[in-house]
Amino acid sequence: MLNKRTATNALITIICAGYLVQQLVPNLQLDLLLPGRDYLQYSNEWYRLFTVALTHGGLMHLAFNMYSLYILGTPIEYAYGKNKFLAIFTVSLLTGSLASVFLNTSNHSSVGASGAIFGLFGAFLIVGKSIGANVREIAVIIGLNFALGFILGGVDWRAHLGGLIGGLITTQLLLTRRR
């Protein structure tokens, strides 16, 4: 039976509600997306490192990210619990955003929760063995997602890479502390 009181479902609800509000409030997305390094340094609006997860480049972008969040977040949350899952998600979001800001051109802007989603891919790589998942298949999915980012263009692969690294490191630290 689906437990509706999960952090995963709460994040999906918050992100989808954020997207819906942006459809109703003109220009709100511009106040929440992740702007380039120059703007951030000038404005000091560093909260955008986190609010970027509420923004998406359309309904399909939102749908793919929320499906991935559900598919990856549910077993990770089950394996680690709500607090550790939220720590992995938050650190991955932050490292993905920081990679986007500091590795892209200074005027680049980004939308979406993909950095955090890639962090969950990284977490799933580590936790996968303990829950009986095929880690090789997970690595292939990560590789395909990176390739699609390059093929489709307009995808912030730096945020994906930063999130992946953040998820790997955070999960490894949590695993080490658990022992």
Side-chain angles (χ1 to χ4, degrees):
M1 183 171 172
L2 177 65
N3 179 2
K4 295 184 189 264
R5 292 183 162 187
T6 66
T8 302
N9 288 339
L11 285 171
I12 291 169
T13 301
I14 291 166
I15 294 168
C16 288
Y19 181 80
L20 179 61
V21 169
Q22 289 167 65
Q23 303 311 301
L24 301 172
V25 178
N27 298 323
L28 180 59
Q29 184 178 34
L30 293 175
D31 295 331
L32 300 176
L33 61 72
L34 184 61
R37 179 175 55 252
D38 288 348
Y39 181 86
L40 275 180
Q41 289 174 335
Y42 172 76
S43 70
N44 258 345
E45 294 176 355
W46 296 98
Y47 63 87
R48 290 172 177 254
L49 296 170
F50 298 99
T51 61
V52 67
L54 300 173
T55 65
H56 284 81
L59 198 52
M60 290 304 290
H61 185 210
L62 176 70
F64 279 120
N65 274 348
M66 294 307 97
Y67 178 72
S68 298
L69 175 54
Y70 181 76
I71 294 299
L72 296 166
T74 302
I76 293 168
E77 183 176 354
Y78 179 77
Y80 282 103
K82 282 183 186 182
N83 292 337
K84 290 180 180 178
F85 164 73
L86 287 171
I88 294 166
F89 183 88
T90 303
V91 171
S92 299
L93 176 59
L94 179 61
T95 56
S97 293
L98 288 170
S100 177
V101 167
F102 290 106
L103 298 177
N104 276 312
T105 59
S106 62
N107 62 349
H108 178 87
S109 61
S110 294
V111 295
S114 302
I117 301 300
F118 269 82
L120 296 179
F121 275 123
F124 205 81
L125 274 175
I126 292 175
V127 76
K129 285 186 180 179
S130 66
I131 63 172
N134 185 336
V135 178
R136 179 180 239 172
E137 289 176 1
I138 297 165
V140 169
I141 290 171
I142 292 170
L144 288 173
N145 275 284
F146 268 113
L148 276 175
F150 288 111
I151 293 168
L152 296 176
V155 175
D156 189 353
W157 64 267
R158 292 159 185 91
H160 294 176
L161 181 61
L164 179 66
I165 292 168
L168 286 166
I169 291 171
T170 304
T171 306
Q172 190 60 53
L173 288 173
L174 290 173
L175 187 63
T176 302
R177 290 190 72 193
R178 195 162 92 168
R179 288 181 186 162

